[in-house]
Structure formats: C-alpha cells, structure tokens
C-alpha cells in the first residue's frame, strides 16, 4: 500500500454517530484516524548509536517509542520481531525484510544518533515499506546540546513529525506541557511536566495555597487562584518566569479560564455576595458579570473554537450541574439533569465537553465520580473511566484526542492521561498528592 493511499484512508476524527438515541451508553466516540481500517503497522527499531552517544541513545529510543505508542494511531511492531541488523542510513534498509513476517511492517522509522563537541545530532527517516519505488516519506536532521533533556526533545519533535505525516495533519502533543497542583514542597504550588510525565518541576513558589492552573492558548501565561488576603486570581508568565499583575477584585475569586483567543479571562467571583461568572481582560480590567442567579456559579470553560460560548457549573437548582451560555450571559442551557456534575472542559474543536459526574448521587446511591464526554449539540454522553476511585478535573490536550485528569484510584490523588475514548489510561505522577491538571500547547 503506497503512502498516497494511506493518506486517503486517514481521516482525523472524533466520530459521532448522531443517530444514536439520547444518552445512549454506547461506543460512539473514536479517537483514531483510521476509522474502518486497521492501524498502521509501524516498525521503530533502535537508532544506530555512534561512538560516545550510548548514554543518550537509550533516552532517545525510549522517548520516541512512548510518543508513538501514546499517539494511539499505530500498531507498533514488537522490537523482538525486528531483523538483527537495524538500519542507520537509507542505504542500509532492506524493505523486503521489514515488509515480510515477522515484522510485517507497513512503515519504518529509523536513523542514527551521534555526539561530537558536546552536541548531539540525530538523523531520522520514515519509509513506506510497501512502496519500494519511492519509499521515503520523511527525512529530518536535528542538532542540540548533548544532554538527556535535549535528546528527549529531539525524539518528541521527530515523533510529532511522524504523527503529522501519518495522521492526516494531526498536530502531535509530544512537545506539550501539563500544569498541575502538587504538595511536594509542603505547599500547594503549580508544577509542570512533559505530556508523558517526565521532567516534573515546580513553577510557583508562593508558599501559600494555589489552585486551578489554566494555560493560555499560546502557553505564554498560566492563570490560577491563590490564597493571599482572601482568594484572588494570579497570572504566571512562562516567558518571564514570574507572576505578573492582575487586579484585586474583592470577595472570593477562583477557577480562571482563558478565552480561545487568549485575550479574556472567565472566572467565578463572589464580589457581589454570591459566586457568579465574570469575564475581564487578562489584566483584570473591563469586568463584565455574566450570571445573576441565586446559587453558586463556577468553573467556566470557553468554547475555544467559536470563542462565543462558555460552559460552567451552577448549583442554582440544587446539586451542581453543567450549563452553557453565550459569552454575553444569554441563552443558558442545562446540559446535565441528574446527579453531581462538575469540572467541565471544552474540546479544541468545540464539539465536546468532558467533565466529572456522579450520576447517582446521595447516601447509599450506587456509582462513583467518573469522567464523561458529551456531544454539545445532541447531549449524548459516554462514560470514559470505570476503574474506581474519585476521578475529576479532566482537561483536553491540544490535539483534541487526549484527556488528562485526576484520579484517586491508586489510593492517592495522582495525574492520569487517556485517549478521549477512555483507552490507554496512563498514570503520570507518583510522588506527593497531585491534582487539577491542565494541558497546555507548550
């Protein structure tokens, strides 16, 4: 099968079968790009390591493999099926060997890694094994300082290139970041990590309680709520490496969220007495009140596609439920009508909400707090987590195919990720109590 044919088969999609009945619990959401056909069988042998690069090659090979596995697009060939000699250059590739059993690969990613003068150089290729006339799909060369972190970054970049080429234009998330709250320093501070859980490090050092980190669309700022003289909104600049000014509003202010264009914030404020949803400029100026109903309104999340709608949580009818409204506060629609529904996050394409929901809530009622996904237009939903514990604070990845969330299933609050159909659930943190994750573009 040639690459051109492969491209035609890949349709980037979260597929909704709209004819299903309302609230049907069936598998109507798919995160693959190869709907109706098998996943691409991709061989990724270890890159050929030059002299002096042995200490970095293991980090590169493991990172590249994990990135491609987490993409959920490929049937990766077990390395035990690979031929004894892996190619380091195009001249060393024997397509027939890779295309025949046991590897039986359709695509082959290979290359070499070398270190000289404290600089690591990686050459990588992607070949269409079934197209011997013009097999090369991708050829890239990367250079950076010879450190493990830089080598992992090169592996991320190459993985994203492969995902983009074979995923019909899907932007990879290998270079994205996840912000979250951790108690590891003795205070609740904002931490950051790579999308795969590596490179975890603290961002804020406020020595207080910090909650609800939310990254701007360009990743340049992170909004949060923190305890100072009362609960206030804070803004951290990832470019300056420090917090920047935001207006003091009075009352209790929490749960900030950036608009799709990054120019506005939505948040909850009790400055008028009752927690309501407000929007403002990112400096806190030009404050606008959107809700004015008795009962707490909180946890706003902007439709990043249209920038014209906000989903939020309201207790106006008793237990908290998910609502949507236009950005001027009009056209309020109740999305959930039972149980205890909180923590909505709007998908990048504007079609879906993920949120935490205890559908049968109350003393003695069966069921746990799990993560659900809902089609905004039809209100159809599917339960994504089933493995016990308390699951909360889901957040979409920039590719719209992955979700990060908090779960207590391991006995302590930790950060997990999964594909948006609930598969490939992976624990990302293992130290301290970790909560409230937010997936950033960078």
């Amino acid at each position: 099968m040639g690459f051109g044919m492969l491209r035609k088969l890949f349709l980037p999609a979260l597929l909704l079968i709209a004819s299903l009945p309302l609230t049907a619990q069936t598998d109507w959401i798919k995160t693959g790009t190869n709907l109706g056909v098998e996943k691409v069988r991709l061989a990724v042998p270890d890159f050929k390591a030059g002299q002096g690069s042995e200490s970095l090659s293991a980090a590169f090979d493991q990172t590249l493999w994990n990135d491609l596995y987490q993409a959920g697009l490929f049937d990766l060939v077990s390395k035990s099926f690979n031929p004894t000699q892996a190619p380091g250059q195009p001249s060393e590739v024997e397509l027939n060997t890779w295309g025949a059993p046991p590897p039986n690969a359709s695509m082959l990613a290979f290359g070499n890694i070398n270190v000289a003068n404290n600089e690591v150089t990686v050459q990588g290729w992607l070949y269409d094994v079934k197209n011997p006339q013009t097999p090369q799909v991708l050829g890239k060369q990367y250079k950076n300082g010879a450190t493990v972190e830089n080598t992992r970054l090169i592996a991320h970049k190459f993985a994203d290139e492969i995902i983009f080429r074979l995923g019909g234009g899907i932007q990879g998330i290998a270079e994205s970041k996840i912000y979250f709250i951790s108690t590891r320093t003795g205070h609740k501070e904002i931490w950051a990590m790579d999308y795969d859980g590596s490179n975890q490090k603290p961002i804020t050092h406020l020595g207080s309680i910090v909650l609800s980190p939310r990254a701007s669309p360009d990743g340049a700022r992170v909004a949060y709520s923190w305890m100072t003289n009362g609960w206030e909104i804070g803004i951290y600049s990832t470019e300056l490496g420090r917090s920047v000014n935001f207006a003091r509003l009075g009352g209790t202010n929490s749960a900030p969220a950036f608009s799709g264009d990054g120019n506005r914030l939505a948040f909850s404020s009790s400055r008028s007495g009752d927690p309501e949803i407000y929007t403002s400029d990112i400096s806190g100026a030009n404050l606008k009140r959107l809700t004015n109903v008795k009962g707490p309104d909180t946890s706003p999340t902007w439709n990043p596609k249209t920038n014209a709608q906000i989903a939020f949580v309201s207790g106006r009818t008793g237990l908290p439920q998910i609502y949507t409204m236009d950005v001027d506060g009009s056209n309020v629609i109740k999305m959930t009508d039972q149980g205890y529904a909180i923590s909505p996050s709007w998908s990048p394409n504007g079609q879906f909400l993920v949120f935490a929901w205890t559908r049968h809530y109350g003393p003695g009622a069966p069921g746990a707090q799990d993560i659900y996904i809902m089609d905004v237009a039809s209100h159809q939903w599917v339960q994504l987590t089933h493995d016990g514990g308390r699951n909360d604070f889901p957040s979409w990845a920039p590719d719209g195919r992955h979700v990060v969330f908090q779960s207590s299933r391991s006995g302590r609050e930790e950060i997990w990720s999964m594909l948006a159909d609930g598969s490939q659930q992976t624990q990302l943190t293992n130290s301290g109590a970790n909560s409230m994750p937010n997936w950033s573009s960078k």
Side-chain angles (χ1 to χ4, degrees):
M1 181 183 298
F3 179 66
M5 181 63 71
L6 285 169
R7 287 293 299 269
K8 293 178 180 178
L9 290 174
F10 290 125
L11 299 174
L14 284 173
L15 178 67
L16 172 68
I17 302 174
S19 59
L20 290 173
L22 187 66
T23 68
Q25 293 185 73
T26 188
D27 186 19
W28 49 260
I29 188 163
K30 303 290 185 184
T31 57
T33 59
N34 54 345
L35 302 175
V37 297
E38 295 181 355
K39 292 181 177 179
V40 173
R41 190 163 170 82
L42 172 62
V44 191
D46 291 346
F47 275 37
K48 185 169 287 186
Q51 187 173 8
S53 64
E54 294 83 358
S55 61
L56 301 179
S57 63
F60 176 87
D61 291 332
Q62 187 64 53
T63 302
L64 180 61
W65 179 275
N66 288 344
D67 289 349
L68 296 172
Y69 170 76
Q70 291 294 339
L73 302 173
F74 310 114
D75 174 17
L76 292 180
V77 175
S78 170
K79 291 188 179 182
S80 64
F81 290 166
N82 289 346
T84 304
Q85 299 297 325
Q89 299 282 346
S91 60
E92 299 171 357
V93 176
E94 297 179 2
L95 292 179
N96 291 338
T97 302
W98 289 95
N104 198 27
S106 296
M107 307 296 289
L108 170 67
F110 66 97
N112 60 75
I113 177 170
N114 291 279
V115 173
N117 300 321
N118 295 319
E119 186 175 69
V120 59
T121 300
V122 175
Q123 291 180 308
W125 291 270
L126 177 67
Y127 267 30
D128 183 348
V129 177
K130 306 298 184 182
N131 184 15
Q133 300 302 317
T134 54
Q136 182 169 323
V137 176
L138 175 67
K140 300 288 290 188
Q141 177 171 296
Y142 305 89
K143 291 185 177 182
N144 208 332
T147 67
V148 170
E149 184 172 350
N150 290 339
T151 304
R152 293 187 73 258
L153 180 60
I154 291 174
H156 286 328
K157 289 179 179 293
F158 189 53
D160 278 351
E161 288 280 0
I162 293 173
I163 292 167
F164 181 79
R165 298 299 181 100
L166 297 184
I170 286 179
Q171 296 293 332
I173 56 171
E175 296 181 71
S176 64
K177 297 286 186 183
I178 295 172
Y179 294 97
F180 61 103
I181 300 299
S182 183
T183 61
R184 275 175 258 185
T185 60
H187 299 279
K188 286 192 171 183
E189 302 279 6
I190 299 174
W191 282 56
M193 61 182 169
D194 294 349
Y195 92 101
D196 58 0
S198 63
N199 198 26
Q200 298 182 19
K201 55 187 176 184
I203 296 299
T204 61
H205 303 275
L206 297 173
S208 177
I209 301 174
V210 184
L211 300 175
S212 305
R214 291 292 179 270
S216 61
D218 62 0
R221 297 179 297 273
V222 179
Y224 55 89
S225 52
W226 67 300
M227 174 65 80
T228 171
N229 296 319
W231 281 99
E232 295 288 355
I233 304 297
I235 303 288
Y236 180 87
S237 169
T238 60
E239 295 175 339
L240 299 176
R242 60 175 175 80
S243 296
V244 296
N245 291 333
F246 188 83
R248 295 289 182 260
L249 302 174
T252 296
N253 304 281
S254 62
F258 282 94
S259 60
D261 59 11
N263 293 326
R264 302 278 292 171
L265 276 181
F267 51 89
S268 176
S269 178
S270 67
R271 64 197 308 269
S272 63
D274 196 39
E276 306 285 356
I277 303 298
Y278 288 78
T279 60
S280 76
D281 295 344
I282 57 173
S283 65
N286 295 318
L287 200 63
K288 293 182 179 179
R289 180 174 174 173
L290 303 187
T291 61
N292 189 12
V293 177
K294 187 177 181 180
D297 297 327
T298 187
S299 303
T301 176
W302 232 294
N303 182 337
K305 181 70 173 181
T306 67
N307 215 29
Q309 293 173 295
I310 290 174
F312 63 104
V313 175
S314 180
R316 61 188 63 187
T317 61
L319 292 175
Q321 301 294 327
I322 308 295
Y323 292 77
T324 62
M325 63 181 168
D326 291 347
V327 75
D328 61 359
S330 65
N331 193 28
V332 176
I333 299 173
K334 193 176 185 180
M335 305 297 289
T336 57
D337 58 3
Q338 62 176 307
Y340 191 102
I342 54 177
S343 307
S345 176
W346 212 311
S347 67
N349 66 4
Q351 285 186 262
F352 305 102
L353 292 170
V354 290
F355 53 96
W357 198 8
T358 307
R359 293 186 52 232
H360 301 289
Y361 183 82
Q369 181 167 300
D370 279 298
I371 305 300
Y372 288 75
I373 184 171
M374 176 180 282
D375 173 61
V376 174
S378 68
H379 295 201
Q380 293 178 76
W381 51 261
V382 164
Q383 183 176 344
L384 301 184
T385 60
H386 305 266
D387 298 329
R390 184 173 181 273
N391 304 281
D392 202 352
F393 297 104
S395 172
W396 287 91
D399 67 352
R401 299 178 55 254
H402 292 77
V403 173
V404 66
F405 62 104
Q406 160 193 326
S407 180
S408 64
R409 69 186 66 180
S410 64
R412 189 172 55 191
E413 291 179 345
E414 300 291 356
I415 308 301
W416 291 66
S417 68
M418 61 182 169
L419 283 168
D421 62 1
S423 65
Q424 289 191 196
Q425 296 191 16
T426 304
Q427 185 171 345
L428 302 181
T429 59
N430 293 279
S431 177
N434 305 284
S435 59
M436 297 184 166
N438 182 247
W439 211 315
S440 173
S441 61
K442 60 179 69 174

